[in-house]
Amino acid sequence: MEAVPRMPMIWLDLKEAGEFAFNAAVKKSAVSVPRDFEGCSTLRKYLGQLHFLQSRIPMGNGQDAAVPITWTEIFSGKAVTHEDIKYEQACVLYNLGALHSMLGAMDKRVSEEGMKVSCTHFQCAAGAFTYLRDHFPHSYSVDMSHQILSLNINLMLGQAQECLLEKSMLDNRKSFLVARISAQVVDYYKEACRALENSETASLLGKIQKDWKKLVQMKIYYFAAVAHLHMGKQAEEQQKFGERVIYFQSALDKLNEAIKLAKGQPETVQEALRFTMDVIGGKYNSAKKDNDFIYHEAVPALDTLQSVKGAPLVKALPVNPTDPAVTGPDIFAKLVPMAAHEASSLYSEEKAKLLRDVMAKIEAKNEVLDQFMDSMQLDPETVDNLDMYNHIPPVLMEKCAALSVRPDTVRNLVQSMQVLSGVFTDVEASLKEIRDLLEEDEAQERKLQELLGRVPPTPGSPPGLAEVSKECSKYLELHEKASFTNTELHRAMNLHLGNLRLLGGPLEQVRAALPTPSLSEDDKQVLQNLKRILAKVQEMRDQRMSLEQQLREMIQKDDITTSLVTTDRSEMKKLFEEQLKKYDQLKVYLEQNLAAQENVLKALTDANVKYAAVRKALAEVEHKWNTTVQTLVASYEAYEDLMKKSQEGKDFYTDLEGKAAKLLERARAACQASQAHRQQLLESPEGPEGPPEPPAAPPASSSSSLELLASLTPEAFSLDASLKGKQRMNKQNFLQAQPGEGLRAPRPSDDPLSMLDPLWTLNKA
């Protein structure tokens, strides 16, 4: 995946400035900035000088020195004017973020350095928009509203995380880390997409909203696919082959959704999608094949696996308008008494100290609360899932609906298997008959050899038996291998037949087949009590966040510069104390909230102890419920495969049956010819080799010759003397099978229908 083509990035246009009575050279350089690093530096310097100017001259809204400031609004192009120097600062900040986004999107990110630079630019853009959102009013113009700025922040953080993801894949980081980084990209883009789907935001953005929304939605599915791809790789490393299949399948599904949403996108997007499809498709096919043929691990449902939590490794880089290294010398240093400026800085430090003290307490309590909740593993949304058991899940309803319009599903499957069984039996009978004929012919040939001795082949010998025997052996081997597939196919049919009947029946029966929890009234009371306390925990969190936000806003808006100018230096400390008292009430509320945490967690601990038995029972039922649903869905999905393999089996055996029938005819003809040949040999008066030559008589005397002639009687040539004690062989007893010499009894036939694998790859052999 490190070589995947890069996705395009979203960047923002810069606002155009109108008239503002300020240093002409400084203003011009800030308005017409070059689109490079130097332009970013110029904007930061100008922002710092505006901050210095604001701290010395009353140019804010409604103040004496305020002057009209005009900038164009990005989306409508209208000129917007405010008499407030903060408006000038806000527009410069917006342009700073927009310029960083433009520079980040310009780089092709084909090198490691390019990825780093783009990532830094997007983080700087997010920092500028964050500072603008948190420190300036949102009513200046539409493009600087709270909704638009939040959208920009999430877009920039998502694109920065995307650059980091590309760098991680280039560095071949661990699969689990890459998956978490990719999941965080999805989270950022989901936040941006929620903002884009908001009707108010859509109306503010205008035409550009549709283009952004389409690209962001496509990226959500694309990077979700990348996350699940790497989760599948991790499962492969851990040898969890069932999980590997479901993760790769989920990645493939999400990538297909991304492809659907990518219509109209530039060619770079299409190339990236095609490249990723090649990777994920290859991984899924290989994993599924390995699991089906080698590992045979159960493939769990995706929702039963732990979700991938994002790892946010990027952040909005903060903007400091008063950083001397960025702003350069203060050109307004002599305009305002330094005493007032120093006093304001001291008061700001007092406010910052107060905020740090409060935040330290909040963060300590939040850390304890987070650790406690993580250890309890209690999710308020899933603690009570009893309503799930009252309905048939949608995925099962789809299968039931599909079978309701196909009432002959089970019957068709059974009939198909019966036809296959019949063809199988016919083939087996034909092959058995051929084998019997060959064995009988072989036995007859042995008897002939015993009677006449080894009979050499003659021009009249019958040909073809060897070829028939060889071809019969090949067909028997094919038949034996295919019978294993039949057995598996039959077993698979028996496994799924009951489930298919259930899915095709009434919905009440399907619902009754799904496990349901059985809770007593005491168990229900324990469950309700736990839910109530979890709600209290969430209420405590929300209240704490609200109080913290109020405190931050109060500190941000607290400006006593006017009072400091008119206050004597000796009274400064007293003034600080009086001004800081305004935060006491919020501090009291926060202290009460933090103190209540211990009691809430103690009550939650007690409730969780009582909930343990109920939790175990619910977990077991949920596991059984999920297993049952998966089994029923698997049976439905196996139907088409069973029908397909059954048809393949019928085609295979039909072909084999034709070949076996032809071979049987050839075997019969060959055996008949062989038998006729043997008969001819037996009936021939001279035997197969002609009359034997009489042995040469040694020379003898006349008396010996007379004695030899006297001994040459017909009885002297009788075979009885040489076969004494043995049965005399003639045509009749040769053709009759002798005891103990019968053909080998056929092997008992195995069950012809059985298993899905191996697939029908043996035909046409």
Side-chain angles (χ1 to χ4, degrees):
M1 286 294 293
E2 61 272 8
V4 64
R6 307 307 179 202
M7 287 284 182
M9 298 294 192
I10 293 175
W11 53 274
L12 305 171
D13 288 320
L14 274 66
K15 296 168 70 71
E16 296 180 0
E19 294 298 326
F20 173 43
F22 190 58
N23 186 298
V26 176
K27 172 73 173 179
K28 184 177 181 180
S29 65
V31 171
S32 303
V33 292
R35 269 55 171 174
D36 54 20
F37 288 102
E38 187 63 31
C40 295
S41 177
T42 301
L43 288 175
R44 290 179 185 273
K45 289 180 180 179
Y46 182 54
L47 179 64
Q49 297 302 326
L50 288 175
H51 183 81
F52 294 145
L53 177 63
Q54 173 198 358
S55 64
R56 289 166 173 80
I57 299 177
M59 299 182 67
N61 186 26
Q63 293 183 334
D64 296 337
V67 295
I69 300 171
T70 302
W71 287 78
T72 58
E73 192 268 311
I74 287 292
F75 305 118
S76 65
K78 297 179 181 178
V80 179
T81 302
H82 292 280
E83 293 186 357
D84 189 352
I85 194 173
K86 281 193 172 184
Y87 179 53
E88 180 77 2
Q89 292 175 331
C91 293
V92 173
L93 263 175
Y94 184 95
N95 275 2
L96 178 62
L99 183 55
H100 275 299
S101 75
M102 187 182 298
L103 295 176
M106 284 170 57
D107 196 285
K108 300 301 182 183
R109 311 190 307 283
V110 294
S111 65
E112 181 178 341
E113 185 62 27
M115 296 173 192
K116 289 182 180 179
V117 170
S118 292
C119 182
T120 302
H121 276 304
F122 289 129
Q123 290 182 90
C124 289
F129 292 131
T130 301
Y131 192 88
L132 176 57
R133 182 191 64 184
D134 296 342
H135 294 81
F136 291 87
H138 305 140
S139 57
Y140 286 140
S141 62
V142 168
D143 51 9
M144 292 189 291
S145 65
H146 187 277
Q147 298 95 321
I148 298 298
L149 292 175
S150 297
L151 167 63
N152 293 347
I153 292 168
N154 284 311
L155 280 176
M156 296 303 112
L157 290 176
Q159 294 182 157
Q161 186 89 359
E162 185 177 339
C163 296
L164 185 63
L165 173 63
E166 294 168 353
K167 175 69 166 54
S168 301
M169 291 192 292
L170 184 66
D171 294 341
N172 290 319
R173 299 289 186 183
K174 291 183 178 180
S175 298
F176 183 64
L177 176 61
V178 176
R180 292 193 62 192
I181 294 174
S182 186
Q184 187 61 43
V185 176
V186 174
D187 291 342
Y188 282 132
Y189 283 146
K190 281 184 177 179
E191 287 295 327
C193 191
R194 274 193 281 271
L196 287 169
E197 291 173 348
N198 182 279
S199 58
E200 184 178 353
T201 305
S203 63
L204 297 177
L205 289 173
K207 181 182 178 182
I208 200 174
Q209 181 262 351
K210 292 183 179 179
D211 296 334
W212 285 9
K213 179 181 175 182
K214 192 172 182 181
L215 179 60
V216 170
Q217 286 179 334
M218 184 275 296
K219 283 192 173 186
I220 289 173
Y221 282 104
Y222 176 78
F223 288 109
V226 173
H228 280 193
L229 168 64
H230 286 84
M231 287 300 292
K233 287 184 178 179
Q234 189 207 21
E236 183 177 16
E237 294 167 2
Q238 297 175 346
Q239 296 188 351
K240 297 179 180 179
F241 302 105
E243 291 185 15
R244 176 179 68 164
V245 172
I246 191 62
Y247 275 126
F248 287 158
Q249 181 179 347
S250 174
L252 192 61
D253 294 341
K254 294 182 183 300
L255 184 60
N256 284 325
E257 289 297 326
I259 292 173
K260 292 178 183 178
L261 294 171
K263 293 180 180 178
Q265 295 294 338
E267 183 58 25
T268 54
V269 174
Q270 308 299 335
E271 291 178 1
L273 293 174
R274 286 194 293 269
F275 183 96
T276 310
M277 175 58 76
D278 291 342
V279 174
I280 294 178
K283 286 284 187 182
Y284 171 71
N285 292 333
S286 175
K288 189 173 188 305
K289 183 177 179 181
D290 289 349
N291 195 54
D292 288 346
F293 288 91
I294 301 175
Y295 305 113
H296 304 294
E297 284 193 7
V299 179
L302 185 63
D303 54 6
T304 62
L305 301 177
Q306 185 177 5
S307 59
V308 188
K309 292 185 178 180
L313 301 182
V314 297
K315 62 180 180 179
L317 297 181
V319 175
N320 184 5
T322 60
D323 184 4
V326 176
T327 62
D330 182 2
I331 61 177
F332 306 104
K334 299 180 181 180
L335 294 181
V336 177
M338 288 304 299
H341 183 67
E342 291 173 358
S344 180
S345 298
L346 291 174
Y347 182 66
S348 296
E349 179 57 32
E350 291 295 326
K351 292 189 296 180
K353 181 180 178 181
L354 182 149
L355 183 60
R356 285 195 298 270
D357 292 342
V358 173
M359 287 307 301
K361 296 177 182 179
I362 292 176
E363 289 172 0
K365 287 290 186 178
N366 283 344
E367 183 177 358
V368 172
L369 180 59
D370 291 339
Q371 292 177 353
F372 182 85
M373 295 303 294
D374 288 343
S375 66
M376 300 288 276
Q377 295 183 348
L378 292 174
D379 186 353
E381 297 181 359
T382 59
V383 165
D384 181 10
N385 57 353
L386 297 180
D387 186 60
M388 173 180 71
Y389 303 104
N390 297 329
H391 311 282
I392 299 176
V395 64
L396 212 54
M397 287 293 293
E398 291 178 7
K399 310 309 179 190
C400 293
L403 286 180
S404 67
V405 298
R406 300 162 65 182
D408 296 334
T409 299
V410 175
R411 184 171 58 191
N412 291 342
L413 180 59
V414 173
Q415 289 177 351
S416 179
M417 298 299 289
Q418 289 174 345
V419 172
L420 175 59
S421 177
V423 180
F424 175 91
T425 305
D426 292 343
V427 169
E428 187 170 43
S430 298
L431 294 176
K432 179 179 180 300
E433 185 175 352
I434 295 171
R435 185 181 60 194
D436 292 346
L437 288 171
L438 294 174
E439 290 179 353
E440 182 179 357
D441 183 84
E442 183 181 352
Q444 298 290 354
E445 189 68 26
R446 283 199 303 268
K447 290 180 181 179
L448 180 63
Q449 298 288 348
E450 292 176 1
L451 177 61
L452 302 179
R454 180 162 185 84
V455 181
T458 64
S461 299
L465 276 176
E467 289 80 0
V468 170
S469 178
K470 182 178 179 182
E471 196 165 346
C472 180
S473 298
K474 181 176 69 172
Y475 290 167
L476 282 171
E477 182 182 358
L478 289 177
H479 175 65
E480 184 176 355
K481 291 180 179 179
S483 68
F484 176 75
T485 302
N486 282 342
T487 305
E488 282 297 302
L489 187 61
H490 188 64
R491 186 191 63 80
M493 183 196 74
N494 291 333
L495 177 66
H496 297 295
L497 206 57
N499 290 341
L500 289 172
R501 288 195 178 100
L502 178 63
L503 290 173
L507 292 179
E508 291 75 11
Q509 294 181 5
V510 178
R511 187 180 292 109
L514 296 175
T516 55
S518 179
L519 298 180
S520 64
E521 289 299 325
D522 291 341
D523 292 340
K524 293 179 181 178
Q525 184 63 36
V526 167
L527 192 58
Q528 291 299 322
N529 185 49
L530 181 67
K531 289 171 60 180
R532 181 179 60 83
I533 298 176
L534 286 174
K536 285 290 184 183
V537 172
Q538 188 59 42
E539 181 183 349
M540 178 179 66
R541 283 182 184 272
D542 295 341
Q543 185 187 56
R544 187 176 301 173
M545 291 176 60
S546 176
L547 292 172
E548 177 190 339
Q549 185 63 27
Q550 291 179 41
L551 179 63
R552 288 182 178 277
E553 290 177 356
M554 284 186 65
I555 290 176
Q556 178 184 331
K557 295 176 181 178
D558 187 9
D559 184 6
I560 61 171
T561 304
T562 305
S563 301
L564 291 174
V565 173
T566 58
T567 302
D568 187 80
R569 189 179 185 85
S570 60
E571 299 291 327
M572 290 293 182
K573 185 176 180 180
K574 183 179 179 180
L575 177 63
F576 290 171
E577 293 175 352
E578 292 177 354
Q579 292 293 330
L580 291 175
K581 286 181 181 179
K582 65 170 72 80
Y583 303 104
D584 289 347
Q585 188 63 48
L586 270 179
K587 289 170 61 180
V588 169
Y589 290 153
L590 277 168
E591 291 289 346
Q592 292 175 348
N593 180 280
L594 298 175
Q597 178 170 307
E598 184 177 354
N599 295 331
V600 173
L601 296 186
K602 184 178 182 301
L604 183 57
T605 302
D606 296 339
N608 187 55
V609 171
K610 297 177 182 179
Y611 173 64
V614 180
R615 184 179 193 171
K616 181 179 179 181
L618 290 177
E620 291 176 354
V621 173
E622 183 176 1
H623 177 72
K624 293 178 181 178
W625 192 85
N626 289 330
T627 302
T628 304
V629 171
Q630 292 170 20
T631 302
L632 292 173
V633 171
S635 294
Y636 173 84
E637 293 174 347
Y639 168 72
E640 294 294 342
D641 197 31
L642 286 172
M643 289 296 293
K644 178 182 177 183
K645 286 182 171 57
S646 174
Q647 184 59 44
E648 290 174 354
K650 288 189 290 184
D651 295 343
F652 170 79
Y653 272 113
T654 299
D655 181 58
L656 187 58
E657 181 183 24
K659 293 178 179 179
K662 293 178 181 178
L663 185 62
L664 178 59
E665 292 300 323
R666 289 172 54 195
R668 288 171 178 168
C671 287
Q672 289 174 1
S674 178
Q675 179 63 24
H677 181 64
R678 287 193 294 271
Q679 182 70 23
Q680 181 182 358
L681 290 176
L682 289 174
E683 294 176 352
S684 172
E686 297 179 350
E689 299 181 1
E693 295 181 1
S701 61
S702 60
S703 61
S704 298
S705 299
L706 292 174
E707 291 174 0
L708 178 63
L709 289 172
S711 65
L712 294 177
T713 62
E715 287 77 5
F717 290 96
S718 173
L719 294 175
D720 290 344
S722 62
L723 296 177
K724 189 171 294 183
K726 299 183 181 179
Q727 182 180 358
R728 187 179 181 89
M729 180 62 66
N730 55 29
K731 173 183 176 183
Q732 181 178 359
N733 57 26
F734 173 74
L735 295 176
Q736 182 177 356
Q738 299 300 314
E741 297 179 353
L743 299 181
R744 180 173 60 87
R747 292 175 298 174
S749 174
D750 296 329
D751 184 1
L753 300 178
S754 244
M755 207 162 173
L756 292 176
D757 291 313
L759 299 179
W760 296 100
T761 57
L762 304 172
N763 55 338
K764 308 296 184 295

